[in-house]
Amino acid sequence: MNILSIETSCDETACAVVKNGREVLSNIIVSQIDIHKEYGGVVPEVAARSHIEVILPAIDKALKEAKIGWGSVDAIAVTTGPGLIGSLIIGVETAKTLAWSLKKPLISVNHLIGHIYANWIDRGIMDFPALCLAVSGGHTMLLEIKDYHNITKIGQTKDDAAGEAFDKVAKLLGLGYPGGPAITEIALKGDKLKFNLPRPMTSPLDKKNGNFNFSFSGLKTAVLSVTKEGIKRDEIPDLAASFQQAASDSLVTKVIWYLEKNKDIQTVMLAGGVAANTNLRETLRTDLEKLDFKGSFIYPEITYCTDNAAMIGAAAFYNQNFVDPLTLAAFPSGIDRL
Ligand code: KG4
Ligand code: ZN
């Protein structure tokens, strides 16, 4: 089954062709980073206008690179939400128009589910139950995946998302946008033990109470306090590295607590833009080894961690949520349709 998928929830115009949910025949991503960089973050109206300009050429390119014509497309999939409404509408209306005029089935995909299913790309088979740490610019959640259609939320952030914290701290440190890759890079030159930053919601009492939620606003404020006290320019890599380690520790702690209590978990997976962070991957790997976790630890290739349409094609194959092209609507917020 060849699925042509479209993803325009934020600032990437993405189109892909995915065969049977795991073989990526093409993966086109037109990034708007250079456009939004000068504002230090995504400007919603500018993002929507930019999607309009590039979406049709991106679809043509996805088909061309996949070396298929419309006759070989079995279904069209699109991200319906959550995301920026103006951006989502461009993808959704394009997908509806194509599906209706070409008489192709249309599949609606939740963006967060897409991030999770990026783990199925090039892999396919998965041992359940699985535990997923989904960390992006908009979400931070710990999820138990019992099988393909049974996902339970264990915990979530009470304030900022992990990616949002990376972006805000990068801005504070004058590292530019997007913050995650900038912090990852500069942290390589820094000493992560130099600044003592908090790991919110990881106290023994939180553990006793089974608190699997996350919080990043206190960590961000702690970085702000350090900068207000005044740091030398050459200490910026140390502060970035200390922040990155505090963020990784806060996330990984909850994964480990859950595994300590739930010995049946077979697979631990990362998903979302922050899953591209090498420090997070290595911190989790080390702690899983310390725990003597015998299952598998997986994460998507970096291209499939941040926003892309291949993950939407994968999710669409495993969750064939067919919808009517005449009535489908984008939804900007909420994860009710998880
Ligand atoms: O999943 P994603 O592309 O978009 C959303 O659905 O939000 O995630 C984007 C977020 C941004 O906040 C970005 O700073 C963060 O992922 N990110 C990273 C890295 N690469 C992207 N955070 C930490 N380390 C990275 N290497
Ligand atoms: Zn995303």
Side-chain angles (χ1 to χ4, degrees):
M1 182 178 185
N2 289 327
I3 297 181
L4 174 97
S5 49
I6 299 173
E7 150 65 46
T8 62
S9 66
C10 191
D11 59 341
E12 327 274 3
T13 316
C15 302
V17 178
V18 181
K19 187 175 176 181
N20 296 333
R22 44 193 176 269
E23 195 184 331
V24 179
L25 303 186
S26 63
N27 185 35
I28 308 300
I29 303 173
V30 185
S31 171
Q32 300 177 9
I33 285 180
D34 288 341
I35 301 172
H36 299 289
K37 221 181 209 163
E38 62 178 294
Y39 307 102
V42 178
V43 183
E45 182 62 25
V46 175
R49 285 169 192 270
S50 187
H51 285 306
I52 298 177
E53 283 168 19
V54 300
I55 192 158
L56 295 178
I59 292 172
D60 281 342
K61 203 167 170 201
L63 289 172
K64 206 168 166 195
E65 281 196 10
K67 297 191 179 62
I68 63 166
W70 281 109
S72 306
V73 172
D74 300 301
I76 294 169
V78 65
T79 303
T80 38
L84 300 172
I85 188 66
S87 291
L88 287 165
I89 284 174
I90 310 305
V92 169
E93 295 305 318
T94 305
K96 285 164 70 174
T97 309
L98 288 170
W100 184 81
S101 57
L102 297 168
K103 299 191 173 44
K104 302 283 181 189
L106 181 60
I107 303 173
S108 161
V109 179
N110 176 299
H111 182 77
L112 188 64
I113 296 288
H115 274 303
I116 297 168
Y117 275 84
N119 279 295
W120 270 255
I121 295 173
D122 293 332
R123 198 174 275 121
I125 294 169
M126 188 80 61
D127 289 327
F128 295 117
L131 185 65
C132 177
L133 178 65
V135 274
S136 69
H139 293 98
T140 300
M141 283 187 195
L142 188 62
L143 303 158
E144 183 172 341
I145 308 175
K146 293 197 166 63
D147 61 52
Y148 286 98
H149 305 289
N150 190 349
I151 301 182
T152 316
K153 190 167 55 181
I154 312 297
Q156 66 181 346
T157 183
K158 289 292 171 196
D159 39 59
D160 290 350
E164 207 178 341
F166 271 88
D167 293 336
K168 287 179 177 169
V169 167
K171 206 169 180 179
L172 266 176
L173 302 182
L175 301 175
Y177 173 85
I183 287 189
T184 306
E185 199 188 326
I186 200 166
L188 289 173
K189 295 179 262 172
D191 173 7
K192 64 184 182 189
L193 301 175
K194 182 78 182 271
F195 294 95
N196 187 14
L197 297 173
R199 274 75 173 151
M201 290 193 186
T202 59
S203 71
L205 189 62
D206 284 303
K207 185 171 187 181
K208 188 165 165 261
N209 292 341
N211 180 358
F212 292 104
N213 291 322
F214 307 92
S215 167
F216 289 97
S217 66
L219 174 57
K220 182 190 65 193
T221 309
V223 175
L224 178 65
S225 305
V226 173
T227 58
K228 276 188 173 162
E229 281 163 21
I231 53 162
K232 292 193 221 89
R233 213 183 155 70
D234 62 2
E235 286 178 316
I236 289 178
D238 300 331
L239 187 51
S242 303
F243 159 76
Q244 178 177 251
Q245 191 59 56
S248 295
D249 289 344
S250 310
L251 293 164
V252 168
T253 299
K254 302 295 163 104
V255 175
I256 299 299
W257 286 0
Y258 195 76
L259 292 173
E260 282 170 353
K261 280 194 171 173
N262 297 273
K263 304 279 182 207
D264 59 333
I265 300 291
Q266 304 295 312
T267 306
V268 171
M269 63 173 88
L270 292 173
V274 185
N277 188 276
T278 40
N279 179 267
L280 174 63
R281 294 174 176 194
E282 290 320 311
T283 303
L284 182 49
R285 188 190 308 285
T286 307
D287 285 9
L288 289 173
E289 279 165 14
K290 275 191 212 150
L291 188 71
D292 202 22
F293 176 68
K294 294 275 189 273
S296 33
F297 170 42
I298 61 172
Y299 40 80
E301 243 182 60
I302 287 196
T303 349
Y304 305 132
C305 284
T306 44
D307 289 349
N308 66 90
M311 68 185 195
I312 302 303
F317 177 79
Y318 291 102
N319 304 270
Q320 296 186 8
N321 178 25
F322 292 108
V323 287
D324 179 352
L326 291 180
T327 57
L328 181 66
F331 69 100
S333 62
I335 45 152
D336 301 349
R337 302 182 208 188
L338 197 88

